[in-house]
Amino acid sequence: DDDDDDDEADETASETTHTVLSTEEKKSDISAPARAQPGTTYSSSVNDLFYSNESNDAFMNGPSKQEFDDSKGLDLYESALQLYRSKDYEEARKTFAAAIHMTKEPPRGKTSIDLALMREYHGDALVKLGEYEEADLSYKKAVDLYQRGDKDVHDESMARIMMKKGDAQVHTTGGSGMHKAKLYYNVSLRLWGKILEEERRNEDVTDLRLCHVLYNYAILNSKQQNFEVAETTFQEIITIHEKYTTDGDEDLEVIEVMEFAARANNCLGNIKFKANLYYESIAYYEAADKLRKRNRELNEEAGVEIDDSEETIGLYTNLGRAYFQEKDIDAALKYFQRANRLLMATPHQNELPIAENWIQMGKAHFSKKEYDEARELYEDALTMLQNVLQDEKHLKILHVRHDIAMAYCREGEYDEGLEVLLDVLAKKKEREESDLYLVKIHFDLCSIYIKLHRRQKAKVQIRNAYEILADKKVPKKHPYMLEKRKYDRKIMALSETSDLASSSYDDISSRTGSS
């Protein structure tokens, strides 16, 4: 119930694609995403070398006192691409930075597509490492280079990178991140729409090329909440693939079209999930899983090695969450565990997805009333989140600590649970955000105080919750308004003498500075 923002982040990760073109590839010659090209983000998220003691401009603009060597820069760039393909994102980031460092900046008014690509893919590696602000800086410098060239020629590059800038903004802190993301997405959507119109008029367009453009156009519509358009466009990709399935033709291009069909099914599942149509979302996710397995088989038969582990992890996570919503907890746990096995086997892994997977498994165990197992998973995830995020007031950390508090309470250890949750409340207030998650905290504190027969403390929490609901003008039929009335009845049922409480709980409240 507390993971609305996490749900959005997961969906973004599982829906985003970035197509990579090498410096030799032409606009019409699109590498298939089935090849796990660098710059491709699958469903689904360090500083030394030039970052160490130098400013961003120093490493982004190149050396001031050494000879440039564009040839060496290109060699480093190719090495960085290989590192990215092998998912060694930290080494890839370093090597892209080194390539940029060796490559000469073009004269004012001129462009360098090689340098633009280096900066773009450097941003991709930073995104994989969770360095979103640095990634946005790298993307900004790539945009500057793309804009200096022929506008029509670089429309697709701009469309691609504006989507990436939007994705980076989604993950940045501060209230303006989502607003900026929508602005970037709008620019990207307009450009992909223009490209799609051009390709529909192109009599020589291949199905692979059309699927590539359709997919990006659908993704942008989904990000901008244009779900009807997105759904229709994803369905068009599936229809293109079904044509080949009927013919029994499975050549290399068909395999790559199959990859787009798998992604389209996954995204349709996400759309149905958002609409609370969980049974339908499961059908799409399972269709995507079937296509992905067939894709791996065909590539193996062709002697081509692909690594779609990130996409498969995202797909298993989506299936787990959908089954969880359908109350099939055993099936949910099965898919979360499958995702966990892949996560643990993947080298050079950002720890954030692992922590989020453990939280999902914890929720499944919690639903099965296996509170001790749930709390252990939450605590392990918390340790990992603290290492990655380095911010005790980060919402992800507050959410998992909230989960830990409720697990304690379900185990009957109310004093431990109360202490943790009061500290969560204090840190949430420090964020100066009055929202429905704060209401949820007050409700759960109210519930604990009712269990402890502390009537006045419970009344304070429910009053604080109602003030926020009234300020937000939450309608009377909203679930939280109904929950507020439920707690009102429970508080009224408590006797006046229930306010006699042990001093230990008062000590807890005074230590956290919360009522």
Side-chain angles (χ1 to χ4, degrees):
D1 292 338
D2 303 329
D3 290 339
D4 291 343
D5 56 339
D6 292 351
D7 291 351
E8 182 66 30
D10 285 347
E11 180 181 85
T12 302
S14 63
E15 288 185 347
T16 306
T17 184
H18 309 293
T19 299
V20 172
L21 304 180
S22 72
T23 53
E24 294 79 25
E25 286 174 315
K26 297 181 180 179
K27 179 181 175 184
S28 60
D29 185 16
I30 303 300
S31 295
R35 300 291 167 261
Q37 296 280 342
T40 302
T41 300
Y42 300 117
S43 46
S44 98
S45 28
V46 278
N47 299 317
D48 52 323
L49 194 64
F50 300 113
Y51 276 101
S52 56
N53 295 310
E54 298 179 28
S55 68
N56 289 324
D57 287 339
F59 82 80
M60 292 298 291
N61 292 329
S64 57
K65 295 183 179 180
Q66 74 175 67
E67 292 294 325
F68 292 102
D69 189 336
D70 287 359
S71 177
K72 185 175 180 180
L74 285 173
D75 288 342
L76 286 166
Y77 167 68
E78 292 297 332
S79 297
L81 291 179
Q82 292 299 325
L83 289 164
Y84 195 104
R85 290 188 181 98
S86 65
K87 303 185 188 300
D88 191 346
Y89 301 123
E90 172 59 15
E91 288 301 316
R93 189 274 302 170
K94 293 178 184 177
T95 312
F96 281 128
I100 293 166
H101 196 70
M102 293 301 300
T103 304
K104 188 175 182 178
E105 183 79 14
R108 184 177 298 276
K110 302 293 184 180
T111 192
S112 167
I113 299 306
D114 287 338
L115 185 56
L117 288 167
M118 291 176 195
R119 285 175 167 164
E120 181 180 348
Y121 304 155
H122 176 256
D124 291 346
L126 286 163
V127 165
K128 289 291 190 180
L129 295 166
E131 300 285 344
Y132 300 109
E133 292 183 4
E134 298 291 352
D136 189 59
L137 173 64
S138 201
Y139 291 148
K140 181 179 179 181
K141 290 182 176 291
V143 166
D144 178 61
L145 286 166
Y146 286 132
Q147 286 179 324
R148 296 185 203 174
D150 186 301
K151 180 178 179 296
D152 291 332
V153 170
H154 299 306
D155 269 353
E156 186 160 336
S157 298
M158 290 296 294
R160 185 177 67 242
I161 203 165
M162 283 297 170
M163 189 196 298
K164 294 179 182 182
K165 281 179 68 65
D167 292 341
Q169 287 295 326
V170 167
H171 294 280
T172 57
T173 57
S176 63
M178 186 59 69
H179 175 69
K180 288 182 179 178
K182 288 184 177 297
L183 294 176
Y184 291 134
Y185 289 152
N186 190 50
V187 173
S188 184
L189 177 59
R190 188 170 65 249
L191 289 169
W192 279 118
K194 175 185 174 183
I195 294 165
L196 180 58
E197 289 178 6
E198 292 171 352
E199 295 298 1
R200 288 195 188 281
R201 293 194 298 267
N202 180 5
E203 296 180 358
D204 298 323
V205 67
T206 65
D207 285 332
L208 176 57
R209 169 63 180 168
L210 185 59
C211 283
H212 165 72
V213 178
L214 285 167
Y215 183 78
N216 283 282
Y217 181 69
I219 286 294
L220 265 301
N221 274 288
S222 183
K223 289 177 184 293
Q224 293 290 67
Q225 311 293 305
N226 304 325
F227 294 122
E228 187 174 346
V229 176
E231 190 169 351
T232 301
T233 311
F234 285 131
Q235 288 288 0
E236 185 175 351
I237 294 171
I238 294 170
T239 301
I240 292 172
H241 171 256
E242 287 173 348
K243 174 182 68 175
Y244 290 102
T245 305
T246 303
D247 295 342
D249 185 8
E250 290 181 331
D251 62 14
L252 186 59
E253 181 172 335
V254 177
I255 294 172
E256 294 167 345
V257 170
M258 182 185 296
E259 170 69 21
F260 278 115
R263 295 186 185 194
N265 273 287
N266 185 53
C267 293
L268 285 167
N270 290 339
I271 291 172
K272 297 302 182 183
F273 188 98
K274 268 191 169 292
N276 301 325
L277 301 171
Y278 305 118
Y279 186 77
E280 291 184 40
S281 73
I282 288 170
Y284 280 115
Y285 292 144
E286 290 181 339
D289 189 32
K290 183 178 179 181
L291 287 169
R292 192 153 296 292
K293 289 175 180 175
R294 182 58 180 159
N295 190 319
R296 285 194 293 269
E297 290 172 359
L298 292 172
N299 273 284
E300 191 173 321
E301 291 171 9
V304 178
E305 184 179 351
I306 65 169
D307 181 0
D308 65 348
S309 58
E310 292 184 29
E311 289 177 305
T312 305
I313 288 165
L315 185 54
Y316 286 160
T317 300
N318 290 341
L319 276 163
R321 293 169 69 156
Y323 274 113
F324 185 88
Q325 293 296 331
E326 280 287 296
K327 311 300 181 186
D328 189 343
I329 307 304
D330 288 334
L333 195 54
K334 176 183 73 175
Y335 281 107
F336 290 144
Q337 288 169 341
R338 286 184 182 179
N340 184 61
R341 283 194 292 272
L342 285 174
L343 280 164
M344 300 307 291
T346 303
H348 317 296
Q349 185 61 242
N350 183 342
E351 291 183 334
L352 192 56
I354 298 174
E356 291 173 346
N357 175 263
W358 290 351
I359 292 168
Q360 296 292 344
M361 287 198 291
K363 290 181 183 296
H365 283 291
F366 189 95
S367 294
K368 296 182 70 174
K369 300 184 179 181
E370 297 167 351
Y371 304 121
D372 187 56
E373 291 90 338
R375 183 166 52 79
E376 286 184 8
L377 283 160
Y378 293 150
E379 287 173 345
D380 288 342
L382 175 62
T383 300
M384 199 166 281
L385 287 173
Q386 289 169 329
N387 289 337
V388 173
L389 300 173
Q390 299 290 312
D391 179 6
E392 288 298 316
K393 291 184 286 186
H394 195 287
L395 278 177
K396 289 184 184 294
I397 289 177
L398 296 184
H399 285 167
V400 74
R401 293 190 67 216
H402 191 149
D403 290 335
I404 289 169
M406 300 315 295
Y408 271 127
C409 291
R410 291 299 180 93
E411 292 177 279
E413 299 180 21
Y414 292 105
D415 52 348
E416 289 88 348
L418 183 59
E419 184 169 7
V420 172
L421 194 53
L422 285 170
D423 190 56
V424 169
L425 175 62
K427 287 183 168 57
K428 173 64 174 159
K429 286 182 175 180
E430 289 176 25
R431 291 173 59 93
E432 298 182 350
E433 297 169 344
S434 181
D435 54 21
L436 293 186
Y437 176 51
L438 189 56
V439 172
K440 174 65 174 171
I441 297 172
H442 285 304
F443 278 162
D444 284 341
L445 282 168
C446 176
S447 177
I448 295 172
Y449 283 130
I450 288 172
K451 287 284 187 182
L452 296 171
H453 298 279
R454 304 192 66 191
R455 187 170 182 266
Q456 289 302 320
K457 292 285 188 181
K459 287 175 67 175
V460 169
Q461 297 302 325
I462 208 67
R463 183 172 64 245
N464 291 340
Y466 181 69
E467 287 175 357
I468 298 169
L469 293 169
D471 182 63
K472 298 293 181 184
K473 296 182 173 58
V474 174
K476 291 183 179 181
K477 293 185 178 181
H478 189 280
Y480 274 8
M481 292 297 289
L482 300 177
E483 192 167 354
K484 187 262 180 188
R485 289 194 284 274
K486 178 189 74 173
Y487 284 123
D488 282 339
R489 291 192 296 271
K490 288 186 175 184
I491 291 170
M492 289 178 64
L494 291 176
S495 67
E496 294 289 342
T497 59
S498 64
D499 288 331
L500 296 175
S502 66
S503 59
S504 62
Y505 291 108
D506 290 327
D507 289 342
I508 291 169
S509 295
S510 63
R511 285 200 303 272
T512 57
S514 178
S515 59

